[in-house]
Amino acid sequence: MTNTKTVQVTCPSCHAQGEFTVYKSINTKESPALKEKVRDGSLFQFSCPACGAKTTVDYPFLYHQPEDHYMINYGKLEDGAKALEMLRGKGVALKDWAAEMEKTTRPYVLRAVDDRLAFREKLFIFDAGLDDRLVEIYKFMVCYQYAAAGKAQGGEHAYFYTDSKGHHRVQLVRGKETLGLADFPRKIYNQIVKKNKEAPLYKISDPEEAKRYAIDIKESAKSIQNVVASLSD
């Protein structure tokens, strides 16, 4: 369910206080209007009643999109545990709840993130109908080529996003600085999907098998050299 509480927020500009609605949990089926507000960030913006200044309020919450069978917990790990307890009901064991979830015709995807960029990325990925685990492999391939080009210095992060024209891309950042952008060719993603079906990464137990899988990924990375060559400096 959508669960809220009202808190007092102090404006960082004029130090006046005003009321702000904090969403402890967001259910887009119950509250469909919140879906777009989460994506454009307006749900987390506080407008000062005194001076009109706007500031982003950061707080933990559980995002639940039941129509697409996924949940994302944003915040610390302990906050995620509390959110799951609230969702499944007090006194219901996690293993029993998980077993019931598995019986659904379409199993739920459960994710936990602790930074806003990662949360936004999950929304982009799921909105595009992609598997976030396989997107991570593609991001690794991009970072591998970026490092091979001598452009990586350590501490970089890659994030998937969809631009205003609907094109899927990967953004490379270090801190608040954008280091480069790379396209996300669906053809390469489909190749990763095919490779994963043949030898699912999560089912690999033999070290030699894992080594071969890693080599396959490395070899596949060569196919995106032209993509990564277009990274902006």
Side-chain angles (χ1 to χ4, degrees):
M1 67 175 71
T2 296
N3 193 351
T4 67
K5 69 175 181 178
T6 301
V7 299
Q8 290 292 316
V9 174
T10 301
C11 174
S13 297
C14 70
H15 305 294
Q17 286 196 330
E19 289 188 346
F20 181 76
T21 301
V22 167
Y23 286 79
K24 299 169 70 174
S25 65
I26 299 167
N27 185 308
T28 58
K29 188 174 183 179
E30 292 181 359
S31 310
L34 297 182
K35 195 172 180 178
E36 186 57 35
K37 290 184 177 181
V38 167
R39 282 158 175 75
D40 64 22
S42 60
L43 196 70
F44 312 108
Q45 275 203 338
F46 167 72
S47 296
C48 178
C51 71
K54 294 184 178 181
T55 186
T56 299
V57 181
D58 194 35
Y59 58 86
F61 59 89
L62 176 68
Y63 180 82
H64 183 193
Q65 196 161 309
E67 61 270 32
D68 293 310
H69 285 228
Y70 73 81
M71 285 180 275
I72 308 171
N73 186 79
Y74 171 71
K76 298 177 182 178
L77 184 60
E78 54 266 31
D79 294 325
K82 291 177 182 177
L84 278 176
E85 182 180 7
M86 177 181 66
L87 186 70
R88 68 179 187 264
K90 205 165 185 179
V92 178
L94 180 58
K95 64 178 182 179
D96 295 333
W97 178 78
E100 286 299 316
M101 295 283 279
E102 286 297 323
K103 292 177 183 177
T104 62
T105 55
R106 184 180 172 190
Y108 261 76
V109 173
L110 307 175
R111 297 291 184 264
V113 296
D114 59 4
D115 77 78
R116 191 55 64 89
L117 283 178
F119 173 73
R120 187 187 72 152
E121 177 186 51
K122 293 296 183 188
L123 294 180
F124 279 130
I125 292 173
F126 295 146
D127 284 349
L130 304 175
D131 187 323
D132 59 333
R133 299 165 299 180
L134 303 186
V135 171
E136 289 298 322
I137 294 176
Y138 180 82
K139 285 162 56 179
F140 164 78
M141 292 160 63
V142 171
C143 291
Y144 173 84
Q145 289 296 332
Y146 194 75
K151 297 181 179 180
Q153 299 176 12
E156 294 85 7
H157 295 277
Y159 294 100
F160 173 95
Y161 76 102
T162 303
D163 65 20
S164 59
K165 295 182 179 179
H167 299 141
H168 303 321
R169 311 197 79 186
V170 172
Q171 179 185 27
L172 291 164
V173 301
R174 185 188 302 121
K176 295 183 178 180
E177 178 187 4
T178 296
L179 302 177
L181 300 173
D183 290 332
F184 184 86
R186 194 61 179 252
K187 180 180 179 180
I188 295 177
Y189 172 79
N190 290 339
Q191 289 174 355
I192 296 173
V193 172
K194 183 175 182 295
K195 175 63 67 176
N196 188 68
K197 285 182 178 179
E198 294 171 354
L201 183 59
Y202 59 85
K203 289 185 178 180
I204 291 177
S205 58
D206 177 33
E208 286 302 316
E209 187 180 358
K211 187 184 295 184
R212 288 195 299 273
Y213 192 94
I215 291 173
D216 286 341
I217 293 175
K218 183 177 178 180
E219 290 301 314
S220 297
K222 294 179 181 178
S223 66
I224 62 167
Q225 287 179 352
N226 292 334
V227 174
V228 181
S230 66
L231 288 169
S232 58
D233 295 325

